[in-house]
């Protein structure tokens, strides 16, 4: 049992609370029963499981082999937790090594229909997490993260995905190059834009489509918006200037699926 939050192992795990530490170690922290359970169920590469002394967790009763387990004090959990109200259980998960985008695209070419989401410059980690969860719920085949998008493994992003992080292929990509390759592969590129000329409910999206959504304040970068083959708008009936990007993403993805 580890009781001190100054223990060398605890200091090692605490580095994962910072982006630099996560990038160096290629690992990240998750916390809470729901996320840990989803990671285990999805076969994510969980390396270490930490649980607070004095609590009983059903997850501990049937763990896959090879996972290091540590009983720790409340002080240790609080040192590592990114939330005030912790459930006393955490895990260290190894980042999946991303293959080249060409390999991902080669797999997509085999599908008759495919729905991809391209996220450009979204800065709020809660928004990104909700967008990934929405893409999972809407049956998207993958999420592409363009330049300027917040760190996928930010603790708030991870929590907001509610486990969907472990269900979808997610790639960080070069925006313009990737869109060019997708169009060459037969994808229709559709941008959600306040400048869009078409109502998003009146478009034939086709069987292979990439939906592009952009930054909370500025939308898509001018370069990517110009590259999109279709620009659509979501009507605003009240006095709000725009919709939250996660809400706009949900409307777009579900409309694509409804049209199919």
């Amino acid at each position: 049992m580890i009781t001190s939050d100054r223990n060398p192992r605890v200091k090692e795990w605490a580095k994962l609370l910072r982006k630099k530490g996560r990038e160096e170690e290629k690992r990240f922290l998750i916390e809470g029963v729901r996320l840990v359970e989803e990671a285990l169920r999805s076969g994510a590469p969980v390396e270490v499981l930490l649980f607070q002394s004095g609590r009983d967790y059903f997850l501990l009763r049937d763990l896959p082999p090879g996972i290091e387990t540590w009983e720790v004090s409340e002080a240790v959990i609080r040192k590592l937790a990114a939330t005030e109200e912790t459930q006393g259980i955490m895990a260290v998960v190894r980042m999946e090594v991303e293959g080249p985008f060409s390999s991902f695209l080669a797999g997509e070419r085999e599908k008759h229909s495919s729905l991809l989401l391209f996220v450009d410059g979204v800065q709020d980690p809660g928004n990104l997490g909700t967008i990934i969860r929405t893409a999972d719920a809407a049956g998207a085949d993958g999420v592409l993260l363009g330049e300027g998008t917040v760190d996928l493994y930010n603790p708030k992003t991870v929590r907001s995905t509610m486990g969907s992080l472990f269900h979808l292929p997610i790639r960080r990509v070069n925006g313009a190059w990737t869109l060019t390759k997708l169009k060459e592969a037969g994808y229709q590129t559709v941008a959600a834009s306040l400048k869009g000329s078409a109502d998003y409910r009146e478009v034939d999206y086709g069987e292979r489509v990439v939906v592009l959504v952009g930054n909370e304040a500025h939308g898509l970068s001018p370069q990517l918006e110009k590259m999109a083959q279709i620009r659509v708008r979501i009507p605003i009936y009240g006095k709000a200037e725009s919709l939250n990007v996660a809400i706009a993403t949900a409307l777009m993805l579900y409309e694509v699926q409804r049209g199919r």
Side-chain angles (χ1 to χ4, degrees), residues 20-34:
K20 181 180 179 182
R22 293 191 293 271
E23 289 178 344
E24 289 176 349
E25 298 294 325
K26 302 301 180 188
R27 290 166 177 78
F28 63 102
L29 284 169
I30 60 174
E31 61 178 281
V33 173
R34 173 81 177 269

Side-chain angles (χ1 to χ4, degrees), residues 27-49:
R27 290 166 177 78
F28 63 102
L29 284 169
I30 60 174
E31 61 178 281
V33 173
R34 173 81 177 269
L35 265 179
V36 173
E37 180 183 18
E38 201 57 48
L40 293 170
R41 179 186 295 131
S42 303
V46 175
E47 294 188 340
V48 183
L49 194 147

